[in-house]
Amino acid sequence: MNEIEHYVAPSSLEQAAEYLQRSGEVTLLAGGTDLMPQSQSGKLKIKRTLMNIHQIPELKGITIEGGEIRIGALATITEIMQSELIQKHLPILIEACDQFASDQIRNAATLGGNICNASPAGDMLIPLLVLDAEVELASKPNGSLTRRRLRLTEFFVGPGKTRRAPAELLEGVRIALPPPHHYARFFKFGTRPALDISTISIGIAGVLNTGTLSNVRVAFGAVAPVPTRAPRTEQALEGRHLDAAAIDAIAAVARDEVKPIDDIRATAWYRKELIHNITKRMLTHVAQA
Amino acid sequence: MNGAEKKARFIAPDTLIGKRIPKMDAPEKASGKTRYIHDIDLPGQLYGKILRSTRVHALIKSIDTAAARALPGVHAVITAADIVNQRPIGVAKDHFPLKTDKVRSLRDEVAAVAAESEQIALEALKLIRVEYEDLPILTDPAEALKPGATLIHPEPRQPGGQDALKPSGPVAFTGKPDNVAMRFDYCHGDVVQAEAESDVVVEDTFKLHYVTHCCMGVSGMIADFDSSGNLIMYSNTQVPFLHKREFAEYLNMDPARIRIIQPAIGGGFGSKLDIYPFEVICVFLAQAAKRPVKLVFTREEEFISSPTRQPVLLTLRSGCKKDGTLTFRVVNTLHDNGAYTSWGATTPFVMMQTFSSLYRVPHCDYHTTAVYTNNPYAGSFRGYGNLQATFAVEAHMDKLAEAIGMDALDFRLKNAQAQGEVTGQGMEFDSCGFKECLDTAAERSDFRRKFAENLKNRNSSDPIKHGVGIASMLHVGGGAKIYPSDGCGTILKLDDFGQVTLITGASEIGQGSETVLSQLVCEELGLPMSALTVVNNDTAITPWDVGVHASRTTFIAGNSALGAARLAKAKVLAAAARKFECPASDLDLRGGHVIKAASGEALIDLPRLMRNLHFSDKAELVMTTFYYEPPSSYQDKRYKGNVSAAYAWASQVVEVEVDTETGIVKMTRITAAHDVGRVLNRLGIEGQIEGGVVMGQGYALTESLIIENGVTRNPNFRDYKLVTAPEIPEIDITFIETMDGEGPQGAKGVGEAPAICVAAATANAIYNATGVRIYGLPFTPERVYRALHGKGEKLVPLTAKAA
Ligand SMILES: Cc1cc2nc3c(=O)[nH]c(=O)nc-3n(C[C@H](O)[C@H](O)[C@H](O)COP(=O)(O)OP(=O)(O)OC[C@H]3O[C@@H](n4cnc5c(N)ncnc54)[C@H](O)[C@@H]3O)c2cc1C
């Protein structure tokens, strides 16, 4: 039996932060698409208080503010997919949404949940990493609402573990508007086109200039304990003219850089092969773009 | 009728046969009104839960249930020690519902609880302490056969221990000197001689995996005793009449006191053909608690403790002559039986038919050893061994054709069975559209052209390769005589309003039998579908039927319904003949009326005639009964005989795209040609084919129950990957109507057929695309990728001795 003793649904960020500050024993509920299966299977125990964060207005919406796009933690995958702002400025996020779960799940699943769940296979995390997104955390340590920002690359600590303190809420993410000629693509490999967990996933972004990428960011999913940037691959790719030999060489660096594990979905060997072959495929597309 | 003037009314002939008739239960199901076992609650009902083993193979040293019993809301806690004279269940009677001295697999039932809520029952399970002593684990059937291997069911069973049956107990399983659960040996002709005379011989080993049924409705039942001690079971069984008898045996009851009511069943596919421990345990709980007990599985439990499709290791050796004549086949298989014996062990009955009789094979040897291990146990599953057998046979049809340089289709046509043939196994093909199936599937898919084109493109630089493959199947289509009767009874009642109640022994498990049976009756009685009500789910009402299996319901229950309808029609026409003073042969039934057969002129509407009959001085009701027994025969001890009254045939062409850089195989099109005898309900039969094809697709590409060291690693739909809508290819279906002489309106069974050859054809398509043949299933991206890179699994051939 689940021993949830209290259920709260604060209607402002202040209230929520205050509650969190007072009582440590709180589990936050957003879409519940991770929380419910995990608590049912015993992987996660819901704490004494369940806080539904859906009534908190500050966590909602997708806006553009001072050269930044802000996506509220409660934005659902469906909302992101249908947002014209995202479509215009950050189409790589749409690509990820399009391969995310099923319609039913997308309607409930939130971006904040995907980030705080911190799965190495979380599909929104790879595009956010190559967009160099920042997370915005809110808390009320000494009577007043305090916010801090953290680069997403620094946020993940391990599977399901982040630098979010128990008294903090994820308010949203902020992404600087990409520069002109920005190129960003996401690829997810699973055995089914719908409802599958990534065997591996790849994000590549940079500024495209006659077949070369600069300011390169590359991230890989499901090949390490956390979704991770790939600095060696980025270095190999930075400014490099993408002919066949270069693409082969960069793909080989990518394969060597990742350290996946064997699990029931795939072996480490196969994951490395996929990283190699799909990186190559994606870079071939870059060269043709 | 308005006005006095009566104008003669003529009713034109019409037929329901071959029409697209929506399933009668579809509106209820689509609107969420269908009541499944989950939706049924009895007053005073308790909730049952089962404590399963946490060890794969271990002695049970002690079970402490005191704390569970003390939990408020708990009404009964039972273990084997609480059941007097517990009897073993299952096909080989080797399985105690509640385990006594030993657990033999991770699914094993150790204790059970009945409580006022599911939560309390679950809480109680947590309070039960079981002490185990681990035994060596056997999960490889080949290891299990080696001398000195740990015995799963040692003999005698633990002298003095709880497993030893009491002298007063029933005759039952007493253990085994080795781990062999069952053996099958079949032969016709002389394979040694035939091999010597062959120009080409090929041998390969195939490995077929675990999959499970994934019924949308999980297993469950309610057991309820009335105050006279009669047992009413609300059950999902596919075989209510067999179970009534068997339950009586296990419960030490008079079968007359057991009644089985089947709520709507959320899918069967063979999974509900055996009696499982949970069912007997649910009855034990109801006995102990003296309250009705409902026990419904969670999805995880369904994955862990339901039977699987039979996993098989199989070595096939085949030969042919240069002119393309098949010469022989030798088959050795090792069946992983799991810890207990269910129907999976008996799949050789069907497998050997495919080896001996799908194509003309003059010489055939077939051997199976089913071996106990500590794995989950295998049951019956749509296709019953035929998916596995067809996978091997059709790989060799391609290989032999290639070896002698013959076209794959010509080679098959040359060896295909034809009408009138009697096979080495004694099967008699009174109707056989096999060659038409081959030709049709090949033509509609443009098989020959694509096959040649793909071969040419194999070495192109495009990483995506295209492939096309063909495979065919033979399956019983007129029942299967394996019990004392393969029959089905029908009661037909026509009421005062011309409404018909069809009371049939045949269960509806989603396959659409209600609709097709109604259709046959309506066709005979000249009535619209709306005139029919079907009662088919209560052993206290319905006449006997052997159950839903072997694709038999349309054929057997159809003939039975037709028999009853014909008797009713004769009665009605006789009454009308008396009334209209003409010979009955001048009359017919059409459009709800008695008509003049020659002109179609309506004489009287059926309700009026029925009331005339009923409320006359010679009051008569039209109620008929009919029992149909097919003209099939038992196999003899050597597995020979014409076991079915008709046989179904099919050929399917599968087209794929193989991404050689990821190993992912995409099915783009399936062209299916099925000899179904005759199409009765076109909508229903298309649904059966599509559903079966998708089940075959899952078997071929994505579905796999991963068992490691006896542990099911993926008991959930996240990691057990069913095919989802976007992957379903375009399916082109053609029906070959051979009008079987014995079938109802010429129809044959089709339920299992569509799932059978998809994997086999897919393997051939991947080979056509890439030049690489993969001998194990499923074709997951990683398996395919490994095979393409020379890292495929190496399978050790089985010799006759090893098997
Ligand atoms: C069938 C199915 C398919 C799926 N497919 C995919 C897929 O394709 N790709 C993918 O990446 N994921 C997938 N998921 C996982 C899941 O849907 C996503 O991770 C989703 O984004 C989680 O969001 P949620 O709102 O449901 O989170 P919840 O389950 O509500 O929460 C997840 C975790 O984050 C915490 N949390 C949530 N919001 C906040 C916040 N604002 N501040 C602090 N903590 C917070 C919660 O306390 C909890 O620990 C799937 C899940 C299911 C059930």
Side-chain angles (χ1 to χ4, degrees):
Chain A
M1 268 174 286
N2 235 325
E3 286 102 22
I4 300 174
E5 289 170 14
H6 306 284
Y7 169 80
V8 291
S11 54
S12 71
L13 190 56
E14 290 263 356
Q15 268 183 26
E18 203 166 300
Y19 198 99
L20 278 178
Q21 193 63 36
R22 263 192 287 127
S23 153
E25 290 290 282
V26 181
T27 297
L28 302 181
L29 171 72
T33 61
D34 276 321
L35 207 57
M36 295 319 292
Q38 287 171 10
S39 62
Q40 289 285 338
S41 71
K43 205 178 136 196
L44 174 148
K45 208 173 156 337
I46 296 186
K47 303 209 173 99
R48 299 229 316 260
T49 301
L50 185 68
M51 180 188 288
N52 178 352
I53 58 175
H54 271 281
Q55 319 284 338
I56 305 174
E58 292 90 333
L59 269 48
K60 297 186 181 171
I62 301 171
T63 50
I64 186 161
E65 295 162 14
E68 280 181 344
I69 302 245
R70 177 194 177 271
I71 308 175
L74 281 176
T76 63
I77 304 303
T78 303
E79 276 170 57
I80 295 171
M81 244 182 125
Q82 293 170 352
S83 155
E84 278 170 26
L85 266 183
I86 302 292
Q87 181 72 59
K88 184 161 169 228
H89 298 286
L90 307 170
I92 185 178
L93 286 179
I94 311 272
E95 240 180 336
C97 294
D98 200 31
Q99 297 176 62
F100 195 103
S102 60
D103 283 344
Q104 294 90 329
I105 298 291
R106 288 178 202 167
N107 288 340
T110 65
L111 184 66
N114 200 243
I115 295 171
C116 293
N117 187 57
S119 158
D123 282 327
M124 301 309 288
L125 312 179
I126 298 305
L128 289 176
L129 281 173
V130 298
L131 293 170
D132 204 16
E134 289 183 347
V135 294
E136 198 171 25
L137 299 160
S139 60
K140 214 170 170 183
N142 33 34
S144 62
L145 202 61
T146 310
R147 291 190 168 91
R148 67 169 176 138
R149 281 200 192 190
L150 206 61
R151 288 182 63 212
L152 192 64
T153 41
E154 288 152 28
F155 188 59
F156 302 114
V157 185
K161 294 205 170 60
T162 67
R163 292 200 199 285
R164 181 180 72 88
E168 281 180 319
L169 275 140
L170 175 69
E171 196 180 346
V173 297
R174 287 180 185 266
I175 303 158
L177 280 178
H181 307 294
H182 190 246
Y183 177 98
R185 296 299 300 269
F186 172 72
F187 189 93
K188 164 178 177 175
F189 186 82
T191 55
R192 301 188 285 219
L195 275 173
D196 211 351
I197 296 179
S198 296
T199 312
I200 59 108
S201 60
I202 303 179
I204 296 179
V207 175
L208 187 64
N209 200 341
T210 56
T212 66
L213 280 178
S214 53
N215 292 326
V216 169
R217 294 192 201 106
V218 177
F220 296 127
V223 292
V226 294
T228 163
R229 287 270 295 272
R232 281 168 50 204
T233 308
E234 289 175 355
Q235 215 173 14
L237 179 54
E238 181 70 40
R240 184 107 164 243
H241 177 68
L242 290 175
D243 56 21
I247 290 174
D248 269 343
I250 299 161
V253 172
R255 170 167 46 199
D256 293 343
E257 184 166 21
V258 296
K259 301 269 176 296
I261 53 162
D262 290 344
D263 64 20
I264 58 168
R265 285 186 268 283
T267 62
W269 175 79
Y270 177 60
R271 284 195 163 100
K272 279 171 160 283
E273 290 291 296
L274 285 175
I275 290 287
H276 175 271
N277 295 350
I278 294 171
T279 300
K280 192 170 149 183
R281 212 176 257 189
M282 291 176 78
L283 292 180
T284 308
H285 285 152
V286 175
Q288 289 159 0
Chain B
M1 200 117 327
N2 46 352
E5 168 210 16
K6 275 194 184 168
K7 235 180 107 197
R9 196 183 143 204
F10 295 89
I11 302 175
D14 196 5
T15 181
L16 288 167
I17 304 303
K19 293 275 163 65
R20 307 178 70 83
I21 298 176
K23 280 170 78 178
M24 293 164 81
D25 57 1
E28 293 287 298
K29 284 191 171 156
S31 60
K33 284 188 170 170
T34 302
R35 293 194 183 105
Y36 297 95
I37 190 83
H38 313 66
D39 304 307
I40 296 174
D41 289 313
L42 300 185
Q45 153 193 305
L46 301 174
Y47 296 83
K49 284 280 168 198
I50 292 172
L51 182 73
R52 296 181 188 279
S53 173
T54 52
R55 308 297 175 90
V56 174
H57 195 197
L59 293 173
I60 301 173
K61 304 305 284 182
S62 68
I63 310 178
D64 179 0
T65 59
R69 283 175 209 273
L71 189 72
V74 170
H75 287 251
V77 180
I78 56 171
T79 67
D82 300 300
I83 310 299
V84 188
N85 269 344
Q86 196 187 178
R87 297 174 190 225
I89 66 171
V91 172
K93 303 280 178 281
D94 57 5
H95 194 181
F96 283 102
L98 283 163
K99 308 305 177 265
T100 53
D101 62 331
K102 221 188 221 188
V103 289
R104 295 175 177 83
S105 66
L106 209 56
R107 54 160 307 291
D108 279 19
E109 297 80 359
V110 175
V113 173
E116 277 164 23
S117 71
E118 251 180 281
Q119 280 86 341
I120 298 174
L122 286 171
E123 207 54 27
L125 290 188
K126 286 190 206 146
L127 298 174
I128 300 174
R129 295 275 161 271
V130 188
E131 218 187 312
Y132 295 102
E133 182 184 315
D134 283 323
L135 294 168
I137 294 172
L138 262 184
T139 55
D140 177 353
E143 290 296 316
L145 274 180
K146 289 191 177 152
T150 306
L151 295 183
I152 309 286
H153 292 277
E155 150 200 77
R157 293 185 103 153
Q158 305 296 314
Q162 293 177 358
D163 247 3
L165 291 160
K166 296 193 177 62
S168 64
V171 182
F173 190 74
T174 50
K176 291 260 186 183
D178 53 26
N179 284 320
V180 175
M182 276 194 193
R183 273 188 205 282
F184 290 82
D185 298 291
Y186 165 84
C187 126
H188 75 247
D190 177 352
V191 290
V192 177
Q193 177 70 23
E195 175 158 356
E197 289 165 8
S198 302
D199 293 323
V200 173
V201 172
V202 291
E203 182 183 298
D204 290 293
T205 298
F206 303 85
K207 190 176 174 187
L208 293 315
H209 62 309
Y210 284 100
V211 292
T212 187
H213 308 73
C214 300
C215 301
M216 284 297 121
V218 289
S219 305
M221 69 167 280
I222 302 175
D224 184 22
F225 285 92
D226 71 13
S227 39
S228 313
N230 299 313
L231 170 63
I232 302 165
M233 299 196 325
Y234 298 83
S235 154
N236 283 335
T237 176
Q238 296 179 226
V239 285
F241 290 94
L242 298 182
H243 277 194
K244 188 174 148 101
R245 225 200 74 235
E246 274 188 70
F247 269 108
E249 192 184 316
Y250 303 146
L251 299 167
N252 219 346
M253 280 181 78
D254 177 355
R257 303 183 73 164
I258 299 181
R259 176 176 177 187
I260 297 181
I261 297 174
Q262 298 152 283
I265 298 171
F269 309 111
S271 67
K272 296 167 171 77
L273 214 58
D274 202 356
I275 289 181
Y276 300 112
F278 85 89
E279 297 171 293
V280 183
I281 289 170
C282 186
V283 178
F284 289 158
L285 285 172
Q287 264 169 340
K290 300 194 168 50
R291 296 259 292 262
V293 173
K294 176 173 178 175
L295 197 159
V296 177
F297 278 6
T298 60
R299 177 59 66 185
E300 186 180 33
E301 220 174 358
E302 183 80 9
F303 271 113
I304 288 171
S305 53
S306 308
T308 68
R309 192 184 284 288
Q310 179 65 56
V312 176
L313 193 66
L314 186 157
T315 298
L316 173 62
R317 196 170 168 80
S318 327
C320 71
K321 300 214 183 209
K322 276 193 199 116
D323 70 354
T325 316
L326 283 174
T327 46
F328 77 98
R329 279 203 181 106
V330 176
V331 190
N332 282 292
T333 93
L334 200 53
H335 279 38
D336 186 339
N337 203 53
Y340 305 100
T341 309
S342 180
W343 293 115
T346 70
T347 48
F349 279 117
V350 173
M351 296 177 72
M352 62 176 74
Q353 293 174 359
T354 290
F355 290 108
S356 75
S357 306
L358 169 60
Y359 294 97
R360 268 180 274 116
V361 183
H363 308 275
C364 181
D365 245 21
Y366 175 96
H367 307 280
T368 284
T369 308
V371 188
Y372 285 119
T373 64
N374 295 118
N375 287 325
Y377 67 98
S380 75
F381 192 167
R382 192 182 200 175
Y384 215 95
N386 209 350
L387 285 76
Q388 298 91 318
T390 303
F391 186 73
V393 163
E394 287 290 354
H396 270 197
M397 292 308 283
D398 262 23
K399 278 196 132 175
L400 288 172
E402 191 177 15
I404 57 166
M406 194 166 169
D407 175 86
L409 185 63
D410 291 339
F411 182 58
R412 286 175 167 86
L413 283 166
K414 184 174 172 73
N415 291 289
Q417 298 285 3
Q419 187 179 12
E421 215 120 5
V422 179
T423 77
Q425 211 185 337
M427 299 159 86
E428 298 169 22
F429 301 138
D430 298 331
S431 68
C432 173
F434 186 9
K435 289 183 183 171
E436 292 92 317
C437 287
L438 277 167
D439 279 329
T440 307
E443 269 165 38
R444 290 186 68 87
S445 61
D446 203 1
F447 175 78
R448 283 186 216 259
R449 185 186 62 77
K450 287 179 183 163
F451 188 89
E453 202 163 280
N454 296 336
L455 274 184
K456 266 195 289 170
N457 292 336
R458 250 187 209 168
N459 298 321
S460 78
S461 62
D462 188 347
I464 311 285
K465 307 287 179 204
H466 295 263
V468 61
I470 191 164
S472 303
M473 73 97 223
L474 152 70
H475 205 74
V476 293
K481 192 146 285 180
I482 48 175
Y483 294 105
S485 165
D486 190 26
C488 174
T490 301
I491 301 170
L492 206 67
K493 180 186 97 173
L494 268 72
D495 73 8
D496 305 342
F497 310 102
Q499 198 68 23
V500 181
T501 307
L502 167 67
I503 305 170
T504 173
S507 305
E508 169 73 52
I509 60 169
Q511 82 278 45
S513 68
E514 278 176 6
T515 312
V516 92
L517 298 179
S518 299
Q519 201 184 342
L520 286 165
V521 170
C522 288
E523 177 75 7
E524 202 59 27
L525 299 180
L527 290 169
M529 290 293 287
S530 58
L532 254 278
T533 303
V534 183
V535 174
N536 57 359
N537 65 346
D538 186 342
T539 57
I541 298 168
T542 60
W544 196 87
D545 173 65
V546 80
V548 183
H549 71 121
S551 305
R552 66 185 283 284
T553 299
T554 295
F555 192 96
I556 307 281
N559 271 326
S560 176
L562 208 51
R566 286 191 176 134
L567 291 175
K569 180 173 179 178
K571 264 188 138 178
V572 172
L573 291 186
R578 285 196 302 275
K579 186 177 173 76
F580 296 104
E581 297 176 338
C582 66
S585 57
D586 285 358
L587 303 173
D588 204 350
L589 296 175
R590 191 182 288 167
H593 289 72
V594 178
I595 57 154
K596 283 188 185 160
S599 65
E601 182 186 344
L603 297 175
I604 184 170
D605 63 79
L606 198 61
R608 187 124 53 102
L609 181 65
M610 299 308 295
R611 288 194 291 273
N612 286 174
L613 258 184
H614 184 179
F615 303 110
S616 70
D617 36 359
K618 289 199 207 100
E620 198 185 336
L621 297 176
V622 179
M623 286 180 59
T624 61
T625 65
F626 192 79
Y627 189 77
Y628 174 76
E629 183 66 47
S632 45
S633 50
Y634 292 111
Q635 290 179 336
D636 61 21
K637 287 209 173 67
R638 297 169 308 136
Y639 308 108
K640 292 187 183 172
N642 192 30
V643 71
S644 183
Y647 296 90
W649 303 88
S651 300
Q652 294 179 348
V653 171
V654 168
E655 293 170 56
V656 298
E657 284 173 19
V658 184
D659 182 342
T660 54
E661 290 176 350
T662 63
I664 199 157
V665 176
K666 190 172 152 195
M667 265 184 210
T668 52
R669 190 165 192 265
I670 295 191
T671 310
H674 282 253
D675 169 10
V676 299
R678 187 174 184 197
V679 175
L680 297 179
N681 180 359
R682 193 167 294 274
L683 199 56
I685 200 168
E686 283 174 3
Q688 278 290 70
I689 305 279
E690 286 168 3
V693 161
V694 173
M695 195 169 245
Q697 184 186 1
Y699 186 65
L701 295 185
T702 57
E703 287 183 54
S704 176
L705 201 62
I706 303 169
I707 317 284
E708 284 176 8
N709 297 321
V711 181
T712 303
R713 294 288 312 280
N714 56 341
N716 54 61
F717 283 129
R718 183 189 59 204
D719 297 322
Y720 183 98
K721 295 186 196 299
L722 284 175
V723 168
T724 59
E727 300 128 273
I728 297 175
E730 180 191 343
I731 305 174
D732 175 275
I733 306 168
T734 309
F735 298 107
I736 309 295
E737 303 197 274
T738 48
M739 300 297 293
D740 190 83
E742 184 61 29
Q745 297 278 6
K748 303 194 271 195
V750 68
E752 295 166 275
I756 291 169
C757 37
V758 182
T762 306
N764 291 344
I766 293 174
Y767 181 76
N768 177 238
T770 64
V772 174
R773 183 162 288 281
I774 308 174
Y775 296 91
L777 283 172
F779 299 131
T780 53
E782 178 158 0
R783 184 186 304 275
V784 172
Y785 188 84
R786 281 181 177 274
L788 294 179
H789 289 78
K791 290 182 186 291
E793 191 180 2
K794 299 276 175 298
L795 298 170
V796 183
L798 291 170
T799 60
K801 223 170 107 224

